[in-house]
């Protein structure tokens, strides 16, 4: 990489890390430490911000060309992806009420395992045996980390696994549903259409499952106006996670993004432990390290099999 182009890329990666880790830690603070126990409403705030800021970035600022939805079938496919995406984000936020960030990152690192499983079940796509072999340390590491996690919570763990599986399912579905040249959308345009659909899905769920959350939030704001700024800043960060992810991918490559993603998880674990002071065990950290090593080996095996 030339020196002239290195610094903008480093800046983008730094912004991606900061926004990604920032929204994760702020979610944890709001849902666990601050006591704002409304993960569905929080996710709806994120999706509302993504809807508005996506429109500004694409239609007004023209950061990327606008891609139109071409048919009702394509609309239905995007709606399906949006529903799975909602499930993933809401489940991830729910898990943060019960589990420390360090442990949710360990579970989240098993995404390649679920991706491989769904890809096989839905497309009968088989990888090389070495690729499947590298998934063993991925899963084993989480099993070890679970056994050594001082703050382990069964419900939180189940929901966190569900969030990870839904994230992998969305990735596989996106490859299947939007595979034709006429239907492919870049990630920014996909977010432009998915985010408003997510708000439509989340609004009734919020009203039914988190009764009077708007009134409660207003009451909280009267006592502590900081909750408004927390929600606004957190929601804006949720959009910038997607924006910086897109820009980093554009500036580097998918493989580089995988490597950076693995490192980001480790950085998030360290920062969360320093901020929230959650207890950790040597066994838990060894389990997480084994999972990360497995993910790195999986990425390398995938690259060699192509």
């Amino acid at each position: 990489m030339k020196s002239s182009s290195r610094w903008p890329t480093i800046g983008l990666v730094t912004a991606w890390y900061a926004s990604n880790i920032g929204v994760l830690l702020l979610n944890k603070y709001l849902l666990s430490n601050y006591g704002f126990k409304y993960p569905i409403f929080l996710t709806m705030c994120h999706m509302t911000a993504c809807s508005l800021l996506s429109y500004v970035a694409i239609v007004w600022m023209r950061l990327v060309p606008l891609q139109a939805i071409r048919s009702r079938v394509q609309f239905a496919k995007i709606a399906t992806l949006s529903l799975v995406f909602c499930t993933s984000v809401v489940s991830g936020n729910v898990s943060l009420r019960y589990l420390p960030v360090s442990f949710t990152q360990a579970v989240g690192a098993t995404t390649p395992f679920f991706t491989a499983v769904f890809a096989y079940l839905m497309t009968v796509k088989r990888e090389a045996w070495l690729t499947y072999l590298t998934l063993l340390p991925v899963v084993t590491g989480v099993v070890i980390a679970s056994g050594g996690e001082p703050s382990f919570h069964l419900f939180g763990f189940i929901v966190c696994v569900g969030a990870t599986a839904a994230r992998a399912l969305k990735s596989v579905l996106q490859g299947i549903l939007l595979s034709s040249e006429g239907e492919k959308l870049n990630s920014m345009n996909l977010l432009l259409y998915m985010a408003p659909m997510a708000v439509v899905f989340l609004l009734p769920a919020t009203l039914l499952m988190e009764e009077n959350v708007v009134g409660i939030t207003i009451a909280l704001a009267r006592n502590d106006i900081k909750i408004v700024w927390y929600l606004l800043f957190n929601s804006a960060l949720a959009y910038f996670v997607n924006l910086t992810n897109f820009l980093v991918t554009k500036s580097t490559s998918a493989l580089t993004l995988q490597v950076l993603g693995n490192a980001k998880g480790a950085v998030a674990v360290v920062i969360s432990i320093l901020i929230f002071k959650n207890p950790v065990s040597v066994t838990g950290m060894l389990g997480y390290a084994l999972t990360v090593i497995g993910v790195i080996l999986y990425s390398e095996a995938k690259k060699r099999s192509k």
Side-chain angles (χ1 to χ4, degrees):
M1 189 182 295
K2 293 181 180 179
S3 179
S4 59
S5 62
R6 182 183 303 158
W7 288 110
T9 302
I10 291 173
L12 284 174
V13 171
T14 303
W16 180 47
Y17 270 42
S19 58
N20 204 304
I21 295 172
V23 75
L24 180 67
L25 296 179
L26 194 48
N27 282 350
K28 174 64 178 176
Y29 174 74
L30 285 171
L31 295 168
S32 183
N33 297 61
Y34 189 85
F36 187 78
K37 300 178 181 180
Y38 305 102
I40 303 176
F41 179 71
L42 182 62
T43 306
M44 192 176 76
C45 290
H46 289 179
M47 292 301 102
T48 302
C50 286
S51 302
L52 297 173
L53 294 175
S54 291
Y55 186 84
V56 170
I58 296 175
V59 178
W60 287 3
M61 298 177 66
R62 299 182 180 178
L63 291 182
V64 294
L66 176 64
Q67 296 172 287
I69 296 178
R70 301 188 178 187
S71 66
R72 290 183 179 179
V73 173
Q74 187 184 17
F75 180 87
K77 291 176 178 179
I78 295 172
T80 302
L81 289 174
S82 180
L83 183 59
V84 176
F85 181 61
C86 282
T87 303
S88 171
V89 178
V90 170
S91 299
N93 285 340
V94 170
S95 70
L96 287 172
R97 283 186 58 189
Y98 303 97
L99 297 172
V101 172
S102 54
F103 187 58
T104 62
Q105 288 295 290
V107 177
T110 62
T111 301
F113 168 77
F114 291 102
T115 303
V117 170
F118 286 128
Y120 178 77
L121 292 176
M122 301 176 72
T123 67
V124 200
K125 179 184 176 183
R126 293 188 179 183
E127 303 286 353
W129 67 269
L130 184 61
T131 304
Y132 289 120
L133 192 62
T134 59
L135 291 172
L136 288 176
V138 173
V139 178
T140 304
V142 169
V143 172
I144 294 172
S146 301
E149 174 54 51
S151 305
F152 182 82
H153 190 284
L154 181 59
F155 176 73
F157 174 71
I158 292 171
V159 175
C160 191
V161 170
T164 306
R167 194 179 310 125
L169 178 60
K170 185 255 179 186
S171 176
V172 175
L173 279 174
Q174 186 172 331
I176 296 171
L177 297 179
L178 302 178
S179 57
S180 68
E181 286 300 321
E183 292 184 330
K184 282 184 179 178
L185 298 173
N186 63 48
S187 61
M188 296 309 298
N189 274 273
L190 184 60
L191 183 65
L192 173 67
Y193 296 118
M194 278 177 48
M197 295 179 189
V199 174
V200 172
F201 292 136
L202 290 167
L203 182 58
T206 302
L207 295 174
L208 289 171
M209 301 174 69
E210 297 178 343
E211 190 176 352
N212 197 30
V213 64
V214 175
I216 293 170
T217 304
I218 292 172
L220 283 172
R222 286 172 179 164
N223 294 326
D224 184 8
I225 194 62
K226 286 188 293 185
I227 184 64
V228 175
W229 297 112
Y230 285 148
L231 290 174
L232 288 174
F233 181 62
N234 192 26
S235 300
L237 271 184
Y239 171 73
F240 283 107
V241 169
N242 293 279
L243 176 62
T244 53
N245 184 293
F246 172 78
L247 294 174
V248 169
T249 306
K250 191 176 180 181
S251 300
T252 57
S253 66
L255 181 62
T256 303
L257 194 73
Q258 283 184 336
V259 175
L260 291 171
N262 295 333
K264 174 177 60 62
V267 173
V269 167
V270 173
I271 293 176
S272 70
I273 292 172
L274 292 175
I275 292 176
F276 296 113
K277 313 290 185 184
N278 56 282
V280 292
S281 66
V282 174
T283 304
M285 294 309 294
L286 286 175
Y288 177 65
L290 181 60
T291 296
V292 172
I293 291 170
V295 171
I296 294 170
L297 292 174
Y298 173 80
S299 300
E300 185 65 24
K302 286 272 289 183
K303 184 177 71 174
R304 293 190 177 189
S305 65
K306 289 182 179 178

